[in-house]
């Protein structure tokens, strides 16, 4: 907990520096893979500073807008709400009835996330909840999609988090996990290790004044189960059609599963 | 993965003093570069100045340590390893000392400038625990340098002290601080700096014996002027 308390304020700056901005692409790919349609209810766990939530909102808003344009073009029957919205030409990218709940165990991270939302102009369709991935404060069968981006690595009992994910998803719901994983390519692996152990703690010290938190980060990545093992754990929790996609040689992987 | 496991274990087991973070030469180089840039960009990052000092001091620190070893008072300090901290200083007693004495003037300096000896960073990246003490001593004695030189803690005062320390210790961090510190000063101040203060600081620094060889804690009653004379620091302009 304390690692993320000290890390919260500089979290985003550090992410950009450590991954040279690539983490933004990874998160974009996650939301694209999710391909949410308007009206989706998303639970983003360990979502802290809101990166996934904001992308989700952008995505459904633009899908919705495109739908609206299509309806307008074909003079289809529009509801009064839609007609009203079509007159708001500016930033009113309406979220409609899509919603995202951002859940994080750390108050500081949520605080930073809320401030960011305000600054970037996100107001509708967002809620912020303090909660533990191993014991979520939600009822069964509630959400359409559950995401956890770079968070499951920090959960003590991954199996419990996966069980909770299964519990709160509706039947037909999707589980998506974006996390650091294992690189099998020996050359890439060597370079990656060199970068991780030599450069990242230095970045932590210089940018955030905190060597040890980033040393911990790099070590926790090495300890995390590799792709196949995580896949098996997700299947154990009851998910079907579990699969994973490697990004950047396996530096990062997206695992996906369905509750049927 | 075997290689990095070794590295992990080594780094964990080679902790030489509390707070020590063992680093590879590459890491030290990166730290030195990063901290230098960060210290320039954000002058409030005192921790970066400290890190810069630790990662670049590999030649100057052993030099200082040897100077201390070869001097009776310095040797004493290395043996006893005194620390200047609020918990070890008897502030009331020092305040009660006569005006002009080291103790009285030191306390006056701390109060006037609202600083405390406890804000000095403990060393992290020095890979020798005796040298770690030397750099710690240098940091804790810094405020006494201000007192002896009669310089306040504003940018100008700090730069003057850095010039003095650069000459005295040879620490690259002091040299860099002395050279780049003036960048943020107005032209008027720069003039005063260049014409009067820096030459005086350099001359005093060259003339004076090693300031780390003074057991300050045993000299609180000594008048500042007498200590200046003893060390060889010229009176401030």
């Amino acid at each position: 907990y304390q690692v993320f308390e000290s890390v919260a304020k500089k979290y985003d700056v550090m992410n950009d520096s450590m991954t040279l901005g690539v983490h933004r692409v990874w998160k974009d790919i996650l939301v694209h893979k999710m391909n949410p349609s308007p009206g989706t209810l998303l639970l983003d766990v360990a979502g802290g500073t809101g990166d996934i939530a904001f992308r989700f909102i952008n995505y459904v808003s633009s899908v919705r807008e495109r739908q609206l344009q299509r309806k307008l073009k074909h003079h289809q029957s529009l509801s009064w709400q839609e007609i009203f919205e079509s007159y708001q030409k500016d930033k009113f990218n309406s979220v409609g009835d899509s919603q995202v709940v951002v859940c994080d165990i750390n108050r500081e991270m949520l605080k930073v996330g809320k401030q960011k939302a305000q600054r970037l102009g996100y107001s509708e369709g967002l809620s912020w909840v303090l909660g533990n991935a191993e014991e979520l404060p939600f009822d069964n069968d509630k959400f359409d999609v559950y995401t956890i981006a770079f968070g499951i690595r920090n959960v003590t009992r991954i199996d419990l988090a996966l069980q909770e994910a299964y519990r709160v998803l509706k039947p037909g719901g999707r589980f998506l996990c974006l996390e650091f994983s294992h690189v099998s390519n020996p050359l890439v692996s060597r370079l990656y290790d060199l970068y991780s152990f030599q450069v990242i703690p230095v970045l932590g010290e210089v940018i955030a004044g905190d060597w040890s938190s980033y040393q911990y980060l790099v070590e926790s990545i090495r300890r995390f189960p590799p792709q196949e093992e995580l896949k098996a754990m997700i299947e154990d929790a009851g998910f079907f059609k579990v699969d994973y996609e490697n990004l950047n040689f396996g530096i990062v992987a997206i695992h996906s599963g369905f509750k049927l | 993965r075997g290689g990095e496991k070794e590295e992990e274990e080594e780094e964990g087991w080679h902790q030489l003093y509390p707070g020590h973070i063992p680093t590879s030469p590459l890491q030290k180089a990166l730290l030195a570069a990063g901290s230098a840039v960060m210290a320039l960009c954000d002058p409030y990052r005192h921790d970066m100045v400290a890190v810069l000092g630790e990662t670049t001091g590999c030649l100057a620190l052993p030099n200082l340590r040897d100077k201390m070893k070869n001097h009776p008072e310095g040797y004493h300090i290395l043996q006893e390893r005194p620390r200047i901290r609020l918990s070890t200083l008897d502030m009331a007693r020092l305040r009660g000392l006569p005006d002009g004495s080291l103790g009285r003037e030191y306390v006056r300096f701390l109060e006037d400038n609202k600083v405390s000896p406890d804000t000095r960073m403990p060393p992290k990246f020095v890979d020798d625990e005796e040298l770690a003490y030397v750099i710690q001593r240098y940091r804790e004695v810094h405020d006494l340098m201000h007192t002896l030189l009669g310089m306040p803690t504003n940018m100008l005062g700090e730069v003057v002290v850095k010039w003095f320390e650069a000459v005295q210790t040879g620490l690259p961090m002091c040299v860099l601080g002395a050279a780049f510190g003036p960048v943020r000063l107005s032209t008027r101040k720069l003039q005063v700096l260049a014409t009067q203060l820096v030459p005086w600081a350099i001359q005093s620094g060259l003339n004076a014996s090693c300031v780390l060889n003074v057991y300050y804690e045993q000299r609180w009653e000594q008048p500042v002027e007498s200590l200046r004379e003893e060390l060889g620091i010229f009176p401030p302009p």
Side-chain angles (χ1 to χ4, degrees), chain A:
Chain A
Y1 183 94
Q2 279 141 336
V3 168
F4 277 91
E5 203 173 352
S6 66
V7 151
K9 296 204 177 78
K10 297 246 175 154
Y11 188 73
D12 292 329
V13 177
M14 282 302 303
N15 281 349
D16 273 330
S17 324
M18 289 192 288
T19 63
L20 303 170
V22 180
H23 73 108
R24 298 168 184 239
V25 177
W26 293 331
K27 288 166 181 165
D28 287 340
I29 295 178
L30 178 70
V31 175
H32 263 83
K33 195 178 169 97
M34 188 195 307
N35 193 15
S37 44
T40 301
L41 181 53
L42 168 67
L43 173 64
D44 182 30
V45 176
T49 56
D51 281 347
I52 302 296
F54 302 147
R55 282 172 172 77
F56 171 80
I57 293 177
N58 291 345
Y59 197 98
V60 294
S61 301
S62 66
V63 170
R64 197 150 184 278
E65 190 168 326
R66 246 175 289 140
Q67 278 179 351
L68 221 62
Q69 303 289 23
R70 238 176 292 138
K71 277 195 183 168
L72 273 173
K73 252 173 70 175
H74 298 133
H75 304 288
Q76 284 175 10
S77 46
L78 296 172
S79 65
W80 281 114
Q81 161 116 34
E82 288 166 328
I83 295 175
F84 171 70
E85 278 172 25
S86 74
Y87 281 105
Q88 324 266 107
K89 258 352 161 28
D90 50 21
K91 274 92 164 282
F92 253 118
N93 261 339
S94 183
V95 169
D97 43 357
S98 313
Q99 254 198 82
V100 51
V101 178
V102 180
C103 179
D104 199 296
I105 199 174
N106 188 304
R107 230 176 274 273
E108 291 304 313
M109 295 291 277
L110 284 174
K111 204 160 80 173
V112 173
K114 281 189 215 167
Q115 288 169 349
K116 219 163 102 177
Q118 223 178 18
R119 209 180 53 227
L120 297 172
Y122 292 100
S123 47
E124 299 169 39
L126 255 187
S127 21
W128 307 85
V129 175
L130 192 68
N132 183 342
E134 294 177 11
E135 206 180 326
L136 291 171
F138 305 110
D139 285 330
N140 305 356
D141 309 315
K142 265 203 81 182
F143 297 96
D144 297 309
V145 186
Y146 171 112
T147 51
I148 184 164
F150 300 115
I152 205 164
R153 194 182 73 248
N154 299 299
V155 170
T156 336
R157 295 282 307 270
I158 299 177
D159 55 338
L160 291 182
L162 292 173
Q163 282 168 32
E164 279 293 88
Y166 190 84
R167 180 179 70 77
V168 301
L169 275 172
K170 290 185 198 156
R174 189 176 195 185
F175 168 87
L176 281 169
C177 165
L178 174 66
E179 190 53 81
F180 287 108
S181 201
H182 284 253
V183 179
S184 42
N185 179 311
L187 176 62
V188 178
S189 175
R190 272 239 303 262
L191 290 172
Y192 179 49
D193 284 350
L194 185 72
Y195 180 75
S196 298
F197 281 97
Q198 299 297 316
V199 180
I200 288 186
V202 173
L203 283 175
E205 180 69 25
V206 172
I207 298 176
D210 187 352
W211 176 285
S212 16
S213 294
Y214 292 91
Q215 179 80 26
Y216 161 78
L217 177 100
V218 173
E219 287 168 4
S220 73
I221 292 177
R222 294 296 174 295
R223 284 197 291 261
F224 190 70
Q227 286 85 332
E228 282 295 330
E229 206 181 306
L230 184 59
K231 176 175 173 204
M233 289 171 81
I234 298 172
E235 285 169 341
D236 283 346
F239 289 100
F240 285 95
K241 285 228 76 182
V242 180
D243 200 15
Y244 60 84
E245 182 188 333
N246 274 346
L247 302 176
N248 292 121
F249 292 99
I251 293 180
V252 159
I254 298 180
H255 280 73
S256 162
F258 289 90
K259 173 175 179 172
L260 296 180

Side-chain angles (χ1 to χ4, degrees), chain A residues 10 182 193-194 197-199 201-202 204-212 215 219 222-223 226, chain B residues 1 4 7-8 11 21-24 26-28 30-31 34-35 38 45 47-48 51 124-125:
Chain A
K10 297 246 175 154
H182 284 253
D193 284 350
L194 185 72
F197 281 97
Q198 299 297 316
V199 180
V202 173
E205 180 69 25
V206 172
I207 298 176
D210 187 352
W211 176 285
S212 16
Q215 179 80 26
E219 287 168 4
R222 294 296 174 295
R223 284 197 291 261
Chain B
R1 235 185 303 153
E4 86 217 47
E7 198 176 357
E8 261 180 85
E11 298 211 354
I21 299 176
T23 42
S24 67
L26 175 59
Q27 284 175 322
K28 286 203 179 64
L30 292 171
L31 272 173
S35 59
M38 196 49 115
R45 290 290 300 273
D47 62 323
M48 287 293 100
V51 169
K124 293 196 284 249
F125 303 112

